[in-house]
Amino acid sequence: MTAAPPEPATVPVPPRTPLPPTRRVRALGGRITLRVDRRSVLVCATLALVVVVVAVFTLGTGDYPIPAVDVVRTLLGHGTPAQDFIVQTLRLPRLLTAVLVGVALGIGGALFQSMSRNPLGSPDIVGFDTGAATGALVVILLIGGDGAQVALGAVIGGIATAMLVYLLAAKRGTPGFRLILIGIAIGALLLAVNSYLITRAELTDARQAHLWLTGSLDGRGWEQVRPLAVVVLVLLPLAVMLGRGLRMLELGDEAARALGVPVELTRIGVLLVGVGLTATATASAGPIAFIALTAPQLARRLTRDGGPNVLPAAFMGAALLVASDLAAQRLFHPVTLPVGVLTAGIGGLYLAWLLAGQWRKGLG
């Protein structure tokens, strides 16, 4: 008499969250099928309209006011020489930098929050932005590099910090809440390093470094817009492609593997894409706080959909930053605040509300 062979172990798959009304769109003769969430499309269209309206108002107001109709005519190449100089040279590069930085921070925040399965898993909370600032400060204060070298230092600093945090968090298995705790600790250490570097610098260099650390769009030109646009155009499609895997990862590692998702490969891809976006944004405008934290959460509440919500978070990040920059320029006129000061003030209130919500859920 022989014992019956044991039944193969099965991985329990949790019930999937009901999906909102969707429509399937076929492309390339039916070889590619895309699932389009109608509510997400409506949210993206509304946020894009907000960005356009704020952009026209931003380009047309200031010390040299230009009517909205003339702003549009100037953008189409039919403005006067004075309007061309004001719009094309002075105001448009700053506006486009704000849009692209907002898009990059919104996507970066969405990817990291989805990967850590926690709304606090934002690049500016877990120290990635602080690492980018450390790289920039080293170039400014110790090497005396130019703008391009400062941007490169910020990207290297952000990537190195992200790799260190991820390796420490993944040492004993799946990163999650542990990634946030280790990121906060590494960020605190790097913040101390940044303060030490500033105290050891000459007064002029220290003022330049301190201004960069506040996060500002003042004086941004086409030399910041072009590389930032290239990075966003390259990494945005990759982020959208990673979104499906991240949606499965939110069900848990075992469930994701059972559904055919390469878990570690997806996480490494998210890490590279997310850090590339946030570090480039930081290199262009300095560490602008709380956009990466708030944009994905607000987008998720509007779409009422699970997953990273990459595109809605991108549009929300752009809308938040262009509106914040407009407020920073106009609220205290003739004084112009660095936009990082305004986002930090508003984001601090949002973070307090978010922590209170986590505490009420028993996660604090």
Side-chain angles (χ1 to χ4, degrees), residues 44 105 108 112 115 134 136 163 186 195 205 263 265 291 295 305 312 318 338:
C44 290
L105 293 179
F112 284 115
M115 186 177 74
T134 303
M163 295 300 293
I186 297 295
S195 300
D205 294 338
V263 174
L265 190 61
I291 295 296
D305 190 13

Side-chain angles (χ1 to χ4, degrees), residues 104 107-117 121 123 128 159 162-163 166 175 179 235 238-247 249 261-278 308 310:
I107 298 173
L111 293 178
F112 284 115
Q113 289 180 18
S114 179
M115 186 177 74
S116 63
R117 304 172 205 165
F128 298 167
I159 292 176
M163 295 300 293
Y166 180 79
L179 183 143
L235 296 185
L238 297 177
V240 173
M241 292 171 62
L242 290 168
R244 182 179 180 277
L246 279 174
R247 181 187 291 270
L249 276 177
V261 177
V263 174
E264 293 305 325
L265 190 61
T266 301
R267 284 204 178 98
I268 292 174
V270 168
L271 189 70
L272 294 177
V273 173
V275 171
L277 287 166
T278 55
V310 171

Side-chain angles (χ1 to χ4, degrees), residues 201-251:
E202 298 292 337
L203 180 59
T204 305
D205 294 338
R207 290 186 61 181
Q208 179 188 358
H210 184 70
L211 178 62
W212 189 87
L213 286 176
T214 57
S216 174
L217 294 168
D218 190 30
R220 295 304 183 270
W222 292 104
E223 64 272 18
Q224 281 86 30
V225 173
R226 295 188 184 96
L228 187 56
V230 171
V231 171
V232 170
L233 288 175
V234 171
L235 296 185
L236 175 59
L238 297 177
V240 173
M241 292 171 62
L242 290 168
R244 182 179 180 277
L246 279 174
R247 181 187 291 270
M248 300 300 177
L249 276 177
E250 290 185 358
L251 301 175

Side-chain angles (χ1 to χ4, degrees), residues 3 7 21 24 41 152 156 169 179 220 223 231 235 252 261 289 300 309 334 360 364:
E7 296 183 356
R24 294 186 181 278
V41 172
L152 181 61
I156 293 175
L179 183 143
R220 295 304 183 270
E223 64 272 18
V231 171
L235 296 185
V261 177
R300 177 174 289 202
N309 284 283
R360 285 194 298 270

